[in-house]
Amino acid sequence: MIHGMDHVPTTEAAVTALRVLADAYQREIEVTHDIGADQTSRRTAAGVGVTTDPDGALPHEAHVEFGGLPRVSVRLHPEDDALIGVEGVECPDIARDDVPAFLRSVFDGLAYVRARCFPPRYFRVVPLPGDRAHKEFIPMIVLTPWLSAQVR
């Protein structure tokens, strides 16, 4: 996140924060924007040529791909949340304000995969500020070499 900024109010502000992170971690970044109710992924019921929501707002969604390992993608939704994918494992409903901290944890190596022997299960754990953590179940079949190296 941009130094001193604790709230990411818009999709464009989140994209700016992600560009700063990509620069800090020396990663390539590719951003695509979808603007308008007929373009965003959650507005499938919007009619043809309808670009605004019923309240007159113009929804803005962005899809961000980071280069390097681990493979990371972020879809920033207009509803103040995001879908983050790390090595093919998706984490839905991440608050937009938590996206930069989530990615910092992944890029700094703080995120890990917790394994359970019986029954065999894997969970990716991503520490967040304020003694919080995001936990996501990982099916054993999708464990990539990078994820396997993070098992604790």
Side-chain angles (χ1 to χ4, degrees):
M1 188 178 293
I2 299 171
H3 183 65
M5 186 178 190
D6 59 352
H7 176 61
V8 185
T10 64
T11 300
E12 192 58 40
V15 169
T16 301
L18 295 182
R19 287 184 193 277
V20 169
L21 275 175
D23 201 33
Y25 289 97
Q26 300 176 348
R27 289 176 165 256
E28 291 182 12
I29 186 171
E30 182 179 325
V31 181
T32 56
H33 296 273
D34 295 324
I35 300 173
D38 59 340
Q39 300 294 314
T40 58
S41 64
R42 292 186 177 171
R43 306 291 202 293
T44 56
V48 176
V50 176
T51 58
T52 60
D53 284 341
D55 64 354
L58 188 63
H60 178 196
E61 182 174 283
H63 184 71
V64 180
E65 293 274 343
F66 288 89
L69 282 178
R71 293 172 298 150
V72 176
S73 65
V74 179
R75 180 166 291 281
L76 297 161
H77 298 291
E79 294 86 11
D80 297 335
D81 68 329
L83 169 72
I84 300 177
V86 179
E87 285 292 312
V89 178
E90 293 184 341
C91 296
D93 302 326
I94 304 293
R96 187 188 300 152
D97 291 340
D98 288 337
V99 170
F102 186 103
L103 294 179
R104 258 193 246 101
S105 289
V106 170
F107 295 151
D108 284 338
L110 300 175
Y112 60 94
V113 176
R114 184 179 58 173
R116 224 173 114 177
C117 293
F118 189 78
R121 290 186 160 179
Y122 294 93
F123 292 90
R124 185 182 55 226
V125 180
V126 181
L128 296 171
D131 292 331
R132 298 177 299 138
H134 181 81
K135 297 174 185 154
E136 195 68 39
F137 173 72
I138 303 173
M140 193 178 335
I141 197 162
V142 298
L143 277 177
T144 65
W146 185 86
L147 286 169
S148 295
Q150 308 303 316
V151 173
R152 291 185 185 172

PDB file of all heavy atoms in Angstrom, residues 15-48:
ATOM      1  N   VAL A  15      -5.469  -0.135  -7.783  1.00  0.00           N
ATOM      2  CA  VAL A  15      -4.538  -0.415  -8.885  1.00  0.00           C
ATOM      3  C   VAL A  15      -3.238   0.368  -8.676  1.00  0.00           C
ATOM      4  O   VAL A  15      -2.150  -0.175  -8.871  1.00  0.00           O
ATOM      5  CB  VAL A  15      -5.183  -0.087 -10.250  1.00  0.00           C
ATOM      6  CG1 VAL A  15      -4.149  -0.108 -11.363  1.00  0.00           C
ATOM      7  CG2 VAL A  15      -6.301  -1.072 -10.556  1.00  0.00           C
ATOM      8  N   THR A  16      -3.342   1.608  -8.245  1.00  0.00           N
ATOM      9  CA  THR A  16      -2.147   2.413  -7.967  1.00  0.00           C
ATOM     10  C   THR A  16      -1.319   1.775  -6.859  1.00  0.00           C
ATOM     11  O   THR A  16      -0.096   1.674  -6.969  1.00  0.00           O
ATOM     12  CB  THR A  16      -2.542   3.854  -7.573  1.00  0.00           C
ATOM     13  OG1 THR A  16      -3.289   4.420  -8.644  1.00  0.00           O
ATOM     14  CG2 THR A  16      -1.332   4.700  -7.287  1.00  0.00           C
ATOM     15  N   ALA A  17      -1.976   1.305  -5.793  1.00  0.00           N
ATOM     16  CA  ALA A  17      -1.262   0.640  -4.702  1.00  0.00           C
ATOM     17  C   ALA A  17      -0.588  -0.639  -5.196  1.00  0.00           C
ATOM     18  O   ALA A  17       0.544  -0.951  -4.795  1.00  0.00           O
ATOM     19  CB  ALA A  17      -2.228   0.333  -3.565  1.00  0.00           C
ATOM     20  N   LEU A  18      -1.236  -1.383  -6.092  1.00  0.00           N
ATOM     21  CA  LEU A  18      -0.648  -2.615  -6.621  1.00  0.00           C
ATOM     22  C   LEU A  18       0.534  -2.315  -7.544  1.00  0.00           C
ATOM     23  O   LEU A  18       1.509  -3.071  -7.576  1.00  0.00           O
ATOM     24  CB  LEU A  18      -1.705  -3.443  -7.346  1.00  0.00           C
ATOM     25  CG  LEU A  18      -2.840  -3.976  -6.467  1.00  0.00           C
ATOM     26  CD1 LEU A  18      -3.799  -4.817  -7.272  1.00  0.00           C
ATOM     27  CD2 LEU A  18      -2.306  -4.751  -5.282  1.00  0.00           C
ATOM     28  N   ARG A  19       0.466  -1.215  -8.274  1.00  0.00           N
ATOM     29  CA  ARG A  19       1.617  -0.808  -9.101  1.00  0.00           C
ATOM     30  C   ARG A  19       2.824  -0.462  -8.211  1.00  0.00           C
ATOM     31  O   ARG A  19       3.957  -0.806  -8.542  1.00  0.00           O
ATOM     32  CB  ARG A  19       1.259   0.380  -9.983  1.00  0.00           C
ATOM     33  CG  ARG A  19       0.354   0.037 -11.139  1.00  0.00           C
ATOM     34  CD  ARG A  19       0.126   1.260 -12.032  1.00  0.00           C
ATOM     35  NE  ARG A  19      -0.957   1.060 -12.960  1.00  0.00           N
ATOM     36  CZ  ARG A  19      -0.853   0.438 -14.119  1.00  0.00           C
ATOM     37  NH1 ARG A  19       0.304  -0.071 -14.489  1.00  0.00           N
ATOM     38  NH2 ARG A  19      -1.900   0.315 -14.916  1.00  0.00           N
ATOM     39  N   VAL A  20       2.567   0.193  -7.088  1.00  0.00           N
ATOM     40  CA  VAL A  20       3.641   0.517  -6.141  1.00  0.00           C
ATOM     41  C   VAL A  20       4.244  -0.769  -5.582  1.00  0.00           C
ATOM     42  O   VAL A  20       5.464  -0.904  -5.471  1.00  0.00           O
ATOM     43  CB  VAL A  20       3.121   1.442  -5.016  1.00  0.00           C
ATOM     44  CG1 VAL A  20       4.124   1.567  -3.897  1.00  0.00           C
ATOM     45  CG2 VAL A  20       2.759   2.809  -5.581  1.00  0.00           C
ATOM     46  N   LEU A  21       3.392  -1.740  -5.240  1.00  0.00           N
ATOM     47  CA  LEU A  21       3.887  -3.036  -4.750  1.00  0.00           C
ATOM     48  C   LEU A  21       4.712  -3.758  -5.805  1.00  0.00           C
ATOM     49  O   LEU A  21       5.773  -4.317  -5.496  1.00  0.00           O
ATOM     50  CB  LEU A  21       2.720  -3.934  -4.345  1.00  0.00           C
ATOM     51  CG  LEU A  21       2.167  -3.757  -2.954  1.00  0.00           C
ATOM     52  CD1 LEU A  21       0.944  -4.637  -2.756  1.00  0.00           C
ATOM     53  CD2 LEU A  21       3.209  -4.082  -1.920  1.00  0.00           C
ATOM     54  N   ALA A  22       4.243  -3.757  -7.034  1.00  0.00           N
ATOM     55  CA  ALA A  22       4.984  -4.416  -8.115  1.00  0.00           C
ATOM     56  C   ALA A  22       6.349  -3.780  -8.279  1.00  0.00           C
ATOM     57  O   ALA A  22       7.352  -4.485  -8.476  1.00  0.00           O
ATOM     58  CB  ALA A  22       4.199  -4.337  -9.424  1.00  0.00           C
ATOM     59  N   ASP A  23       6.408  -2.475  -8.173  1.00  0.00           N
ATOM     60  CA  ASP A  23       7.681  -1.761  -8.272  1.00  0.00           C
ATOM     61  C   ASP A  23       8.593  -2.119  -7.095  1.00  0.00           C
ATOM     62  O   ASP A  23       9.782  -2.361  -7.273  1.00  0.00           O
ATOM     63  CB  ASP A  23       7.416  -0.260  -8.328  1.00  0.00           C
ATOM     64  CG  ASP A  23       8.569   0.502  -8.935  1.00  0.00           C
ATOM     65  OD1 ASP A  23       9.234  -0.043  -9.830  1.00  0.00           O
ATOM     66  OD2 ASP A  23       8.791   1.654  -8.497  1.00  0.00           O
ATOM     67  N   ALA A  24       8.037  -2.175  -5.895  1.00  0.00           N
ATOM     68  CA  ALA A  24       8.829  -2.479  -4.695  1.00  0.00           C
ATOM     69  C   ALA A  24       9.392  -3.901  -4.732  1.00  0.00           C
ATOM     70  O   ALA A  24      10.500  -4.146  -4.251  1.00  0.00           O
ATOM     71  CB  ALA A  24       7.975  -2.284  -3.449  1.00  0.00           C
ATOM     72  N   TYR A  25       8.623  -4.841  -5.284  1.00  0.00           N
ATOM     73  CA  TYR A  25       9.068  -6.238  -5.337  1.00  0.00           C
ATOM     74  C   TYR A  25       9.666  -6.602  -6.693  1.00  0.00           C
ATOM     75  O   TYR A  25       9.917  -7.781  -6.957  1.00  0.00           O
ATOM     76  CB  TYR A  25       7.912  -7.173  -4.989  1.00  0.00           C
ATOM     77  CG  TYR A  25       7.550  -7.093  -3.522  1.00  0.00           C
ATOM     78  CD1 TYR A  25       6.502  -6.295  -3.092  1.00  0.00           C
ATOM     79  CD2 TYR A  25       8.277  -7.785  -2.574  1.00  0.00           C
ATOM     80  CE1 TYR A  25       6.175  -6.204  -1.752  1.00  0.00           C
ATOM     81  CE2 TYR A  25       7.966  -7.706  -1.239  1.00  0.00           C
ATOM     82  CZ  TYR A  25       6.910  -6.916  -0.831  1.00  0.00           C
ATOM     83  OH  TYR A  25       6.597  -6.826   0.502  1.00  0.00           O
ATOM     84  N   GLN A  26       9.877  -5.609  -7.536  1.00  0.00           N
ATOM     85  CA  GLN A  26      10.481  -5.783  -8.851  1.00  0.00           C
ATOM     86  C   GLN A  26       9.791  -6.885  -9.656  1.00  0.00           C
ATOM     87  O   GLN A  26      10.410  -7.825 -10.137  1.00  0.00           O
ATOM     88  CB  GLN A  26      11.976  -6.074  -8.719  1.00  0.00           C
ATOM     89  CG  GLN A  26      12.707  -4.951  -8.036  1.00  0.00           C
ATOM     90  CD  GLN A  26      14.164  -5.270  -7.805  1.00  0.00           C
ATOM     91  OE1 GLN A  26      14.606  -6.402  -7.953  1.00  0.00           O
ATOM     92  NE2 GLN A  26      14.913  -4.249  -7.442  1.00  0.00           N
ATOM     93  N   ARG A  27       8.482  -6.734  -9.786  1.00  0.00           N
ATOM     94  CA  ARG A  27       7.681  -7.681 -10.549  1.00  0.00           C
ATOM     95  C   ARG A  27       6.992  -6.950 -11.689  1.00  0.00           C
ATOM     96  O   ARG A  27       6.591  -5.800 -11.542  1.00  0.00           O
ATOM     97  CB  ARG A  27       6.615  -8.316  -9.666  1.00  0.00           C
ATOM     98  CG  ARG A  27       7.196  -9.279  -8.665  1.00  0.00           C
ATOM     99  CD  ARG A  27       6.095  -9.799  -7.772  1.00  0.00           C
ATOM    100  NE  ARG A  27       6.565 -10.950  -7.058  1.00  0.00           N
ATOM    101  CZ  ARG A  27       6.231 -12.192  -7.364  1.00  0.00           C
ATOM    102  NH1 ARG A  27       5.423 -12.436  -8.357  1.00  0.00           N
ATOM    103  NH2 ARG A  27       6.705 -13.199  -6.671  1.00  0.00           N
ATOM    104  N   GLU A  28       6.855  -7.648 -12.783  1.00  0.00           N
ATOM    105  CA  GLU A  28       6.090  -7.082 -13.891  1.00  0.00           C
ATOM    106  C   GLU A  28       4.617  -7.110 -13.509  1.00  0.00           C
ATOM    107  O   GLU A  28       4.176  -7.959 -12.728  1.00  0.00           O
ATOM    108  CB  GLU A  28       6.300  -7.906 -15.155  1.00  0.00           C
ATOM    109  CG  GLU A  28       7.700  -7.795 -15.711  1.00  0.00           C
ATOM    110  CD  GLU A  28       7.855  -8.596 -16.994  1.00  0.00           C
ATOM    111  OE1 GLU A  28       6.832  -9.032 -17.562  1.00  0.00           O
ATOM    112  OE2 GLU A  28       8.994  -8.780 -17.408  1.00  0.00           O
ATOM    113  N   ILE A  29       3.868  -6.164 -14.051  1.00  0.00           N
ATOM    114  CA  ILE A  29       2.443  -6.095 -13.744  1.00  0.00           C
ATOM    115  C   ILE A  29       1.687  -5.791 -15.031  1.00  0.00           C
ATOM    116  O   ILE A  29       2.145  -5.005 -15.863  1.00  0.00           O
ATOM    117  CB  ILE A  29       2.162  -5.034 -12.658  1.00  0.00           C
ATOM    118  CG1 ILE A  29       0.693  -5.051 -12.228  1.00  0.00           C
ATOM    119  CG2 ILE A  29       2.578  -3.662 -13.113  1.00  0.00           C
ATOM    120  CD1 ILE A  29       0.398  -4.192 -11.007  1.00  0.00           C
ATOM    121  N   GLU A  30       0.553  -6.450 -15.190  1.00  0.00           N
ATOM    122  CA  GLU A  30      -0.319  -6.205 -16.337  1.00  0.00           C
ATOM    123  C   GLU A  30      -1.715  -5.926 -15.795  1.00  0.00           C
ATOM    124  O   GLU A  30      -2.260  -6.718 -15.013  1.00  0.00           O
ATOM    125  CB  GLU A  30      -0.340  -7.420 -17.258  1.00  0.00           C
ATOM    126  CG  GLU A  30      -1.172  -7.225 -18.490  1.00  0.00           C
ATOM    127  CD  GLU A  30      -1.143  -8.454 -19.385  1.00  0.00           C
ATOM    128  OE1 GLU A  30      -0.094  -9.118 -19.461  1.00  0.00           O
ATOM    129  OE2 GLU A  30      -2.185  -8.728 -20.002  1.00  0.00           O
ATOM    130  N   VAL A  31      -2.287  -4.806 -16.192  1.00  0.00           N
ATOM    131  CA  VAL A  31      -3.592  -4.383 -15.680  1.00  0.00           C
ATOM    132  C   VAL A  31      -4.565  -4.214 -16.838  1.00  0.00           C
ATOM    133  O   VAL A  31      -4.233  -3.590 -17.844  1.00  0.00           O
ATOM    134  CB  VAL A  31      -3.471  -3.048 -14.910  1.00  0.00           C
ATOM    135  CG1 VAL A  31      -4.825  -2.620 -14.361  1.00  0.00           C
ATOM    136  CG2 VAL A  31      -2.451  -3.143 -13.788  1.00  0.00           C
ATOM    137  N   THR A  32      -5.757  -4.777 -16.686  1.00  0.00           N
ATOM    138  CA  THR A  32      -6.836  -4.526 -17.642  1.00  0.00           C
ATOM    139  C   THR A  32      -8.022  -3.978 -16.851  1.00  0.00           C
ATOM    140  O   THR A  32      -8.271  -4.386 -15.719  1.00  0.00           O
ATOM    141  CB  THR A  32      -7.264  -5.801 -18.395  1.00  0.00           C
ATOM    142  OG1 THR A  32      -7.636  -6.801 -17.449  1.00  0.00           O
ATOM    143  CG2 THR A  32      -6.149  -6.323 -19.264  1.00  0.00           C
ATOM    144  N   HIS A  33      -8.718  -3.036 -17.457  1.00  0.00           N
ATOM    145  CA  HIS A  33      -9.852  -2.379 -16.809  1.00  0.00           C
ATOM    146  C   HIS A  33     -11.138  -2.735 -17.533  1.00  0.00           C
ATOM    147  O   HIS A  33     -11.174  -2.783 -18.766  1.00  0.00           O
ATOM    148  CB  HIS A  33      -9.681  -0.854 -16.838  1.00  0.00           C
ATOM    149  CG  HIS A  33      -8.501  -0.379 -16.059  1.00  0.00           C
ATOM    150  ND1 HIS A  33      -8.550  -0.113 -14.723  1.00  0.00           N
ATOM    151  CD2 HIS A  33      -7.222  -0.124 -16.439  1.00  0.00           C
ATOM    152  CE1 HIS A  33      -7.364   0.293 -14.303  1.00  0.00           C
ATOM    153  NE2 HIS A  33      -6.539   0.282 -15.331  1.00  0.00           N
ATOM    154  N   ASP A  34     -12.189  -2.966 -16.765  1.00  0.00           N
ATOM    155  CA  ASP A  34     -13.541  -3.147 -17.287  1.00  0.00           C
ATOM    156  C   ASP A  34     -14.390  -2.067 -16.640  1.00  0.00           C
ATOM    157  O   ASP A  34     -14.571  -2.065 -15.421  1.00  0.00           O
ATOM    158  CB  ASP A  34     -14.096  -4.530 -16.946  1.00  0.00           C
ATOM    159  CG  ASP A  34     -13.322  -5.647 -17.613  1.00  0.00           C
ATOM    160  OD1 ASP A  34     -12.880  -5.439 -18.757  1.00  0.00           O
ATOM    161  OD2 ASP A  34     -13.161  -6.713 -16.999  1.00  0.00           O
ATOM    162  N   ILE A  35     -14.895  -1.152 -17.456  1.00  0.00           N
ATOM    163  CA  ILE A  35     -15.668  -0.040 -16.931  1.00  0.00           C
ATOM    164  C   ILE A  35     -17.051  -0.059 -17.570  1.00  0.00           C
ATOM    165  O   ILE A  35     -17.186  -0.145 -18.783  1.00  0.00           O
ATOM    166  CB  ILE A  35     -14.969   1.302 -17.208  1.00  0.00           C
ATOM    167  CG1 ILE A  35     -13.596   1.302 -16.534  1.00  0.00           C
ATOM    168  CG2 ILE A  35     -15.810   2.473 -16.727  1.00  0.00           C
ATOM    169  CD1 ILE A  35     -12.738   2.494 -16.853  1.00  0.00           C
ATOM    170  N   GLY A  36     -18.069  -0.014 -16.711  1.00  0.00           N
ATOM    171  CA  GLY A  36     -19.447  -0.032 -17.182  1.00  0.00           C
ATOM    172  C   GLY A  36     -20.153  -1.293 -16.740  1.00  0.00           C
ATOM    173  O   GLY A  36     -19.546  -2.357 -16.623  1.00  0.00           O
ATOM    174  N   ALA A  37     -21.438  -1.175 -16.486  1.00  0.00           N
ATOM    175  CA  ALA A  37     -22.220  -2.314 -16.002  1.00  0.00           C
ATOM    176  C   ALA A  37     -22.260  -3.459 -17.011  1.00  0.00           C
ATOM    177  O   ALA A  37     -22.384  -4.620 -16.627  1.00  0.00           O
ATOM    178  CB  ALA A  37     -23.637  -1.872 -15.658  1.00  0.00           C
ATOM    179  N   ASP A  38     -22.134  -3.149 -18.294  1.00  0.00           N
ATOM    180  CA  ASP A  38     -22.167  -4.205 -19.302  1.00  0.00           C
ATOM    181  C   ASP A  38     -20.822  -4.911 -19.449  1.00  0.00           C
ATOM    182  O   ASP A  38     -20.725  -5.914 -20.130  1.00  0.00           O
ATOM    183  CB  ASP A  38     -22.615  -3.648 -20.650  1.00  0.00           C
ATOM    184  CG  ASP A  38     -21.704  -2.538 -21.151  1.00  0.00           C
ATOM    185  OD1 ASP A  38     -20.977  -1.943 -20.341  1.00  0.00           O
ATOM    186  OD2 ASP A  38     -21.736  -2.268 -22.368  1.00  0.00           O
ATOM    187  N   GLN A  39     -19.780  -4.423 -18.783  1.00  0.00           N
ATOM    188  CA  GLN A  39     -18.447  -4.995 -18.900  1.00  0.00           C
ATOM    189  C   GLN A  39     -17.990  -5.752 -17.652  1.00  0.00           C
ATOM    190  O   GLN A  39     -17.159  -6.640 -17.741  1.00  0.00           O
ATOM    191  CB  GLN A  39     -17.418  -3.894 -19.192  1.00  0.00           C
ATOM    192  CG  GLN A  39     -17.678  -3.144 -20.473  1.00  0.00           C
ATOM    193  CD  GLN A  39     -17.509  -4.026 -21.686  1.00  0.00           C
ATOM    194  OE1 GLN A  39     -16.539  -4.763 -21.790  1.00  0.00           O
ATOM    195  NE2 GLN A  39     -18.463  -3.978 -22.587  1.00  0.00           N
ATOM    196  N   THR A  40     -18.482  -5.384 -16.474  1.00  0.00           N
ATOM    197  CA  THR A  40     -18.000  -5.980 -15.234  1.00  0.00           C
ATOM    198  C   THR A  40     -18.577  -7.373 -15.032  1.00  0.00           C
ATOM    199  O   THR A  40     -19.680  -7.676 -15.482  1.00  0.00           O
ATOM    200  CB  THR A  40     -18.324  -5.085 -14.022  1.00  0.00           C
ATOM    201  OG1 THR A  40     -19.719  -4.887 -13.967  1.00  0.00           O
ATOM    202  CG2 THR A  40     -17.612  -3.756 -14.115  1.00  0.00           C
ATOM    203  N   SER A  41     -17.826  -8.219 -14.340  1.00  0.00           N
ATOM    204  CA  SER A  41     -18.177  -9.636 -14.233  1.00  0.00           C
ATOM    205  C   SER A  41     -19.425  -9.902 -13.401  1.00  0.00           C
ATOM    206  O   SER A  41     -20.100 -10.888 -13.613  1.00  0.00           O
ATOM    207  CB  SER A  41     -16.996 -10.417 -13.649  1.00  0.00           C
ATOM    208  OG  SER A  41     -16.721  -9.988 -12.333  1.00  0.00           O
ATOM    209  N   ARG A  42     -19.730  -9.065 -12.455  1.00  0.00           N
ATOM    210  CA  ARG A  42     -20.886  -9.325 -11.597  1.00  0.00           C
ATOM    211  C   ARG A  42     -22.166  -8.671 -12.101  1.00  0.00           C
ATOM    212  O   ARG A  42     -23.187  -8.756 -11.463  1.00  0.00           O
ATOM    213  CB  ARG A  42     -20.595  -8.830 -10.183  1.00  0.00           C
ATOM    214  CG  ARG A  42     -19.528  -9.646  -9.506  1.00  0.00           C
ATOM    215  CD  ARG A  42     -19.403  -9.210  -8.092  1.00  0.00           C
ATOM    216  NE  ARG A  42     -18.418 -10.024  -7.392  1.00  0.00           N
ATOM    217  CZ  ARG A  42     -17.980  -9.766  -6.195  1.00  0.00           C
ATOM    218  NH1 ARG A  42     -18.423  -8.706  -5.540  1.00  0.00           N
ATOM    219  NH2 ARG A  42     -17.091 -10.534  -5.615  1.00  0.00           N
ATOM    220  N   ARG A  43     -22.120  -7.998 -13.228  1.00  0.00           N
ATOM    221  CA  ARG A  43     -23.292  -7.315 -13.752  1.00  0.00           C
ATOM    222  C   ARG A  43     -23.810  -8.034 -14.996  1.00  0.00           C
ATOM    223  O   ARG A  43     -24.116  -7.424 -15.999  1.00  0.00           O
ATOM    224  CB  ARG A  43     -22.973  -5.867 -14.120  1.00  0.00           C
ATOM    225  CG  ARG A  43     -22.358  -5.037 -13.047  1.00  0.00           C
ATOM    226  CD  ARG A  43     -23.357  -4.752 -11.936  1.00  0.00           C
ATOM    227  NE  ARG A  43     -23.073  -3.586 -11.122  1.00  0.00           N
ATOM    228  CZ  ARG A  43     -22.058  -3.438 -10.310  1.00  0.00           C
ATOM    229  NH1 ARG A  43     -21.141  -4.359 -10.218  1.00  0.00           N
ATOM    230  NH2 ARG A  43     -21.911  -2.348  -9.569  1.00  0.00           N
ATOM    231  N   THR A  44     -23.900  -9.351 -14.940  1.00  0.00           N
ATOM    232  CA  THR A  44     -24.305 -10.115 -16.126  1.00  0.00           C
ATOM    233  C   THR A  44     -25.746  -9.836 -16.521  1.00  0.00           C
ATOM    234  O   THR A  44     -26.127 -10.069 -17.659  1.00  0.00           O
ATOM    235  CB  THR A  44     -24.125 -11.625 -15.881  1.00  0.00           C
ATOM    236  OG1 THR A  44     -24.871 -11.993 -14.714  1.00  0.00           O
ATOM    237  CG2 THR A  44     -22.665 -11.979 -15.706  1.00  0.00           C
ATOM    238  N   ALA A  45     -26.561  -9.335 -15.605  1.00  0.00           N
ATOM    239  CA  ALA A  45     -27.952  -9.051 -15.919  1.00  0.00           C
ATOM    240  C   ALA A  45     -28.134  -7.692 -16.593  1.00  0.00           C
ATOM    241  O   ALA A  45     -29.237  -7.350 -16.984  1.00  0.00           O
ATOM    242  CB  ALA A  45     -28.797  -9.106 -14.656  1.00  0.00           C
ATOM    243  N   ALA A  46     -27.055  -6.923 -16.711  1.00  0.00           N
ATOM    244  CA  ALA A  46     -27.163  -5.608 -17.357  1.00  0.00           C
ATOM    245  C   ALA A  46     -27.514  -5.803 -18.825  1.00  0.00           C
ATOM    246  O   ALA A  46     -26.999  -6.685 -19.499  1.00  0.00           O
ATOM    247  CB  ALA A  46     -25.853  -4.846 -17.226  1.00  0.00           C
ATOM    248  N   GLY A  47     -28.383  -4.970 -19.304  1.00  0.00           N
ATOM    249  CA  GLY A  47     -28.802  -5.066 -20.694  1.00  0.00           C
ATOM    250  C   GLY A  47     -27.706  -4.626 -21.644  1.00  0.00           C
ATOM    251  O   GLY A  47     -26.695  -4.050 -21.249  1.00  0.00           O
ATOM    252  N   VAL A  48     -27.902  -4.868 -22.915  1.00  0.00           N
ATOM    253  CA  VAL A  48     -26.947  -4.485 -23.938  1.00  0.00           C
ATOM    254  C   VAL A  48     -26.881  -2.963 -24.008  1.00  0.00           C
ATOM    255  O   VAL A  48     -27.906  -2.288 -24.097  1.00  0.00           O
ATOM    256  CB  VAL A  48     -27.343  -5.075 -25.306  1.00  0.00           C
ATOM    257  CG1 VAL A  48     -26.413  -4.593 -26.396  1.00  0.00           C
ATOM    258  CG2 VAL A  48     -27.373  -6.584 -25.239  1.00  0.00           C
TER     259      VAL A  48
END
